Amino acid sequence: MSSDIPSIEPSKKAGSRHRPIKSFVLRQGRLTVAQQNALEHHWCDFGIDYTDQLLALDSLFENTNKLVLEVGFGNGESLLQQAINQPEVNFIGIEVHGPGVGHLIHQAKTLDIRNIKVIRHDAVDVLKQQIPDSSISKIQLFFPDPWHKKKHHKRRIISPEFIRLIQQKLLPDGYFHMATDWQHYAEHMLRQMYQAPGFNNTAGSGNYSPDTGDRCETKFERRGLKLGHGVWDLIYEKQ
Ligand SMILES: C[S@@+](CC[C@H](N)C(=O)[O-])C[C@H]1O[C@@H](n2cnc3c(N)ncnc32)[C@H](O)[C@@H]1O
């Protein structure tokens, strides 16, 4: 892999004892030729490098249309479809999995999609460092890793700190849309959001949202449905 393809090696600080718990385990997997090619040659069109500086969001795209940000887009299939369905919206996808990032860039290049940018890094860092407060119209988190085992629950991305970060980055009246195929995680989301200040549940307190139609089916959703799982959507508006 060429050195200008961004990777997300953890920064090793000498003597650092506190490594924050991550919501992912990085299994890069093998890149296909198309994914590798996309990362090497088309990163400049679609990629945003991770830095610790705030992004100038107004100059990222060819226009200043509203911004939707998706955390953990996987292979990007549903993000791509949304970008096609909503050309009047700009999408920023954040994902750590190299093959998924390569896949999305390959598809976006092939279809000449102009309203998608991607960041290959931990979304928690990206939100903290790169996304200005009150700047995003909608943040999406679809089928995050449920971390089934109790001893792994601390890895779940939905936590009071993460929700606070989401609240900070959304515009007033912005939306936070989550979906999961794991009932216990859905209940966890509902509980955490109930306790978090600054949000209204659009379906009414304690309720899941009906299918809104603007979320495209994702790869993990399809997998869950095949296994007989249900799907729970939760949509909150920033107060
Ligand atoms: C279960 S998969 C779901 C992928 C996709 N949303 C779907 O529904 O098909 C969860 C994804 O979130 C990504 N992920 C987990 N934690 C992340 C983080 N902190 N920052 C960026 N991506 C993350 C993982 O790499 C994985 O691709």
Side-chain angles (χ1 to χ4, degrees), residues 22-26 70-78 94-97 119-126 141-147 155 157 162 217-223:
K22 298 288 185 188
S23 58
F24 57 90
V25 173
L26 204 52
E70 184 161 322
V71 172
F73 59 74
N75 73 357
E77 204 178 282
S78 73
I94 312 174
E95 173 57 63
V96 290
H97 186 58
I119 308 181
R120 183 180 174 184
H121 198 83
D122 184 340
V124 174
D125 296 340
V126 172
L141 177 72
F142 297 154
F143 305 90
D145 300 288
W147 295 107
R155 286 188 172 274
I157 198 163
F162 184 74
E217 192 176 78
T218 79
K219 186 178 168 188
F220 271 78
E221 176 174 19
R222 208 162 36 251
R223 198 180 74 163

Side-chain angles (χ1 to χ4, degrees), residues 148-162:
H148 303 112
K149 292 183 185 163
K150 195 155 191 210
K151 67 175 179 182
H152 290 149
H153 283 184
K154 56 182 179 290
R155 286 188 172 274
R156 287 179 168 175
I157 198 163
I158 289 297
S159 66
E161 297 72 38
F162 184 74

